[in-house]
Amino acid sequence: MTVTCESTSDADVEPDTVTMAGALNRALADALAEDERVLVFGEDVGTLGGVFRVTDGLAARFGEARVFDTPLAESGIVGTAIGMAMNGLRPVVEMQFDAFAYPAFEQITSHLAKLRNRTRGAVELPIVIRIPYGGGIGGVEHHCDSSEVYYTHTAGLRVVTPASPADAYALLRQAIDSPDPVIFLEPERRYWEKETVRLDHRSSTLDRAVVRRPGTDVTLISYGGALGTTLEAAAAAEEEGYSAEVIDLRSLAPFDLETVAASVRRTGRAVVVHEASRFCGYGAEVAAQLSETCFHHLEAPVLRVGGFDIPYPAPNLEKHHLPNVDRVLDAIERLQWDDAAPLAGGGA
């Protein structure tokens, strides 16, 4: 399914049909071309061009001094990037798969996230850690985790995730330009979805959510790989008489409460959808903040649709584990409606 995405309309940027992987490749190439301080390195990003071919052709174009493979030592990759950033470079590193990043967790949480604060702003660490994440590709364990809350809980990190090719380009360019360390989560099952769009990053903002579909009855909040499912559910809900607004968070840390709360105050109901396990998942924080700030506008409790509270299942079972349209529709129907469902576009 192709996700419809807002994009820039600058006359000097021509529309192009591109996959998310292609958009990320373009973002890296443009950043490398524009700023000699940018380096790209990690596991198999050089000669192979990455497992998902996101870095395809970059080593040949920019040379092995700027795009290169590393040993399979994630802690060493991040530690090296920290040292480079402290000396004026802007590393972009890839962890290859979500759970592969765990050996680097100590470097990320104890040093990457804290060094700017520890030095009272004297040392900036403009590092981007690219992490393919999430399910839907038939992968085995260690390849399909949704580990976003580990990073969003860590003060000092920005955490972003695109859901479309246009956002993949814009967010990655902005992440590379950011003076803060950014965990850049790439939804694996969206890598090959295509979109005809102008790739540009000048009219977008790194830390703001976007309304992808307007609605009046309920707000559906999602991000990354689950956004496409959420948009499908919104279309299906309309056929059943519910007008669902869909918000793409894009930035998980910081969280754009302003945009989300404004929508929920209009609709009075909300459902958060994500792939990660529901217990202590990102949706729990969204629900808590909405309960605190929108309590008198809510017509029902904020509900969550997530993965089950189990280790990621075998490939033949993941379709049951991941949120689907039916589970989102079921949550909408449980939002304490009156005897009759609302008419689409007519409010609750």
Side-chain angles (χ1 to χ4, degrees), residues 184-268:
F184 196 88
L185 300 170
E186 300 170 7
E188 297 168 7
R189 60 172 161 156
R190 305 300 178 191
Y191 270 135
W192 302 280
E193 292 184 353
K194 293 182 179 180
E195 182 182 23
T196 300
V197 67
R198 292 179 174 89
L199 294 180
D200 187 75
H201 66 291
R202 292 164 291 182
S203 300
S204 182
T205 306
L206 184 63
D207 57 359
R208 299 293 288 184
V210 173
V211 176
R212 298 298 184 196
R213 177 189 174 108
T216 58
D217 299 325
V218 57
T219 301
L220 305 181
I221 305 157
S222 192
Y223 55 87
L227 182 73
T229 302
T230 306
L231 287 167
E232 292 177 12
E238 185 172 16
E239 297 179 1
E240 298 187 9
Y242 300 95
S243 174
E245 183 152 291
V246 177
I247 294 182
D248 177 4
L249 291 180
R250 303 170 77 246
S251 172
L252 304 185
F255 169 56
D256 183 6
L257 177 61
E258 179 182 356
T259 298
V260 178
S263 175
V264 173
R265 289 184 182 121
R266 288 195 306 270
T267 65

Side-chain angles (χ1 to χ4, degrees), residues 292-306:
E292 292 172 3
T293 58
C294 302
F295 181 80
H296 294 290
H297 297 267
L298 289 171
E299 301 291 339
V302 179
L303 298 184
R304 293 168 289 149
V305 179

Side-chain angles (χ1 to χ4, degrees), residues 133-139 143-144 146 187-190 192 225 275 312 315 318-319 321-322:
Y133 84 115
I137 63 167
H143 296 72
C144 299
S146 292
E188 297 168 7
R189 60 172 161 156
R190 305 300 178 191
W192 302 280
E275 293 186 16
Y312 200 86
E318 69 176 358
K319 65 180 179 180
H321 174 72
L322 296 173

Side-chain angles (χ1 to χ4, degrees), residues 263-284:
S263 175
V264 173
R265 289 184 182 121
R266 288 195 306 270
T267 65
R269 293 174 169 86
V271 177
V272 190
V273 184
H274 57 63
E275 293 186 16
S277 298
R278 186 172 174 274
F279 183 78
C280 288
Y282 190 78

Side-chain angles (χ1 to χ4, degrees), residues 3-347:
V3 176
T4 301
C5 179
E6 293 182 3
S7 60
T8 62
S9 57
D10 295 21
D12 58 335
V13 181
E14 293 297 324
D16 191 13
T17 300
V18 63
T19 63
M20 180 180 286
L24 292 167
N25 180 276
R26 186 91 57 88
L28 291 170
D30 290 349
L32 285 161
E34 292 179 15
D35 189 342
E36 64 181 10
R37 297 172 299 170
V38 175
L39 302 173
V40 174
F41 57 95
E43 298 168 353
D44 291 325
V45 302
T47 303
L48 180 64
V51 171
F52 297 99
R53 301 299 185 268
V54 171
T55 56
D56 189 37
L58 297 181
R61 178 177 172 185
F62 295 99
E64 294 183 356
R66 297 190 64 198
V67 181
F68 53 90
D69 293 327
T70 65
L72 302 181
E74 292 80 9
S75 182
I77 293 171
V78 176
T80 299
I82 291 172
M84 288 179 167
M86 291 176 69
N87 287 277
L89 298 176
R90 306 185 79 89
V92 182
V93 302
E94 179 180 313
M95 295 287 100
Q96 197 170 83
F97 284 100
D98 34 59
F100 291 12
Y102 298 156
F105 199 67
E106 194 274 335
Q107 288 285 352
I108 294 171
T109 59
S110 295
H111 304 292
L112 181 64
K114 294 180 171 64
L115 193 57
R116 189 175 187 182
N117 181 73
R118 186 185 304 148
T119 61
R120 298 185 180 182
V123 176
E124 294 182 349
L125 294 180
I127 297 171
V128 178
I129 300 180
R130 294 181 41 245
I131 304 177
Y133 84 115
I137 63 167
V140 295
E141 62 179 359
H142 310 309
H143 296 72
C144 299
D145 282 10
S146 292
S147 50
E148 57 267 34
V149 292
Y150 300 143
Y151 305 110
T152 58
H153 183 70
T154 303
L157 300 175
R158 289 182 178 268
V159 183
V160 300
T161 178
S164 70
D167 251 10
Y169 179 88
L171 289 175
L172 185 53
R173 289 297 308 275
Q174 292 160 3
I176 294 171
D177 289 341
S178 173
D180 302 313
V182 180
I183 305 298
F184 196 88
L185 300 170
E186 300 170 7
E188 297 168 7
R189 60 172 161 156
R190 305 300 178 191
Y191 270 135
W192 302 280
E193 292 184 353
K194 293 182 179 180
E195 182 182 23
T196 300
V197 67
R198 292 179 174 89
L199 294 180
D200 187 75
H201 66 291
R202 292 164 291 182
S203 300
S204 182
T205 306
L206 184 63
D207 57 359
R208 299 293 288 184
V210 173
V211 176
R212 298 298 184 196
R213 177 189 174 108
T216 58
D217 299 325
V218 57
T219 301
L220 305 181
I221 305 157
S222 192
Y223 55 87
L227 182 73
T229 302
T230 306
L231 287 167
E232 292 177 12
E238 185 172 16
E239 297 179 1
E240 298 187 9
Y242 300 95
S243 174
E245 183 152 291
V246 177
I247 294 182
D248 177 4
L249 291 180
R250 303 170 77 246
S251 172
L252 304 185
F255 169 56
D256 183 6
L257 177 61
E258 179 182 356
T259 298
V260 178
S263 175
V264 173
R265 289 184 182 121
R266 288 195 306 270
T267 65
R269 293 174 169 86
V271 177
V272 190
V273 184
H274 57 63
E275 293 186 16
S277 298
R278 186 172 174 274
F279 183 78
C280 288
Y282 190 78
E285 177 62 26
V286 176
Q289 294 215 26
L290 291 177
S291 296
E292 292 172 3
T293 58
C294 302
F295 181 80
H296 294 290
H297 297 267
L298 289 171
E299 301 291 339
V302 179
L303 298 184
R304 293 168 289 149
V305 179
F308 297 117
D309 298 329
I310 59 172
Y312 200 86
N316 63 329
L317 296 175
E318 69 176 358
K319 65 180 179 180
H320 304 292
H321 174 72
L322 296 173
N324 57 32
V325 169
D326 288 340
R327 288 171 62 191
V328 178
L329 290 177
D330 177 68
I332 293 174
E333 292 173 355
R334 291 189 287 112
L335 285 171
Q336 298 184 8
W337 303 96
D338 293 333
D339 292 340
L343 297 175

